[in-house]
Amino acid sequence: TKPGIVIGRQGSTINALKEELVKKFNLPKDLKIEIQEFKDPNKSALVVANEIAGALKRGLPYRKIAKRYLENIKYAGVLGAKISLKGRLSGAEIARKEDFAYGSIPRHTIDASIDYALVHAKTKTGVIGIKVWLYMGDKFKNYS
C-alpha cells in the first residue's frame, strides 16, 4: 500500500532488492522491477487482514477494529464482507470466535468473485486467527 517504502531513498532499497534477486535466482543483470500502488487497499482481503492483525498486536479492542474496517470496506464499494476473529480475544482465558459482516457473501456460487485471506496475529496472550471475505460481485454477466 506504500510504494515509497519499497523504493527507498533515491531507489536504494529497490536496487538492493534487484541485486539480491539477480544473485539468488541467476537472473539477467538488466532486470526491471515495476512497483504498483494499490488504488484502494480496502478492496484487498490480504491488506485488510494484515492491518487488523497489526492493530490487534498493538492491543486495540477487536470489536472496534473489526467494525471500523467493515465501514471502510463498505465505502470502498465492496458488495459484501465478513471478518472472522478466532482465539483468545481481549486476553480471555477461553478462546472464542466472533464474526462481523455486512451485505451478502454467496460462498456456494462459482460465479461470485470473492477475495479471501487468512492471517495469524501473534499477540501477548496468544495467536488470533483473522479471516476476511470480500464479495466484489459476479465474474460473468447474466445471460438470459
Side-chain angles (χ1 to χ4, degrees):
T1 59
K2 298 173 184 170
I5 295 172
V6 177
I7 296 169
R9 289 194 178 256
Q10 298 173 346
S12 62
T13 310
I14 197 164
N15 289 336
L17 174 67
K18 191 184 297 185
E19 290 172 10
E20 187 177 325
L21 289 173
V22 167
K23 286 180 188 176
K24 193 170 188 175
F25 297 109
N26 295 327
L27 297 172
K29 298 278 185 192
D30 61 340
L31 176 70
K32 290 185 181 179
I33 297 177
E34 186 178 320
I35 297 171
Q36 296 178 346
E37 182 179 11
F38 274 106
K39 298 283 187 218
D40 193 356
N42 291 319
K43 287 187 175 182
S44 172
L46 185 60
V47 172
V48 171
N50 280 327
E51 288 180 2
I52 292 172
L56 289 174
K57 287 177 188 175
R58 287 182 303 223
L60 297 174
Y62 70 92
R63 281 192 186 101
K64 196 172 190 179
I65 295 166
K67 289 177 183 178
R68 181 178 350 127
Y69 278 100
L70 272 180
E71 286 296 317
N72 293 345
I73 291 167
K74 189 185 296 185
Y75 291 124
V78 177
L79 298 176
K82 180 179 176 183
I83 298 172
S84 178
L85 304 172
K86 293 182 182 181
R88 293 184 61 187
L89 301 173
S90 297
E93 288 292 320
I94 298 174
R96 59 184 189 273
K97 173 187 171 192
E98 291 255 355
D99 289 330
F100 305 90
Y102 97 90
S104 66
I105 304 164
R107 291 181 298 254
H108 294 284
T109 307
I110 296 172
D111 190 29
S113 174
I114 296 177
D115 192 11
Y116 169 78
L118 168 65
V119 174
H120 299 282
K122 295 179 182 171
T123 63
K124 295 174 186 174
T125 58
V127 178
I128 296 176
I130 304 157
K131 293 181 182 179
V132 178
W133 291 266
L134 300 178
Y135 173 52
M136 305 297 189
D138 293 334
K139 294 178 189 173
F140 306 108
K141 295 177 184 172
N142 288 338
Y143 295 106
S144 313

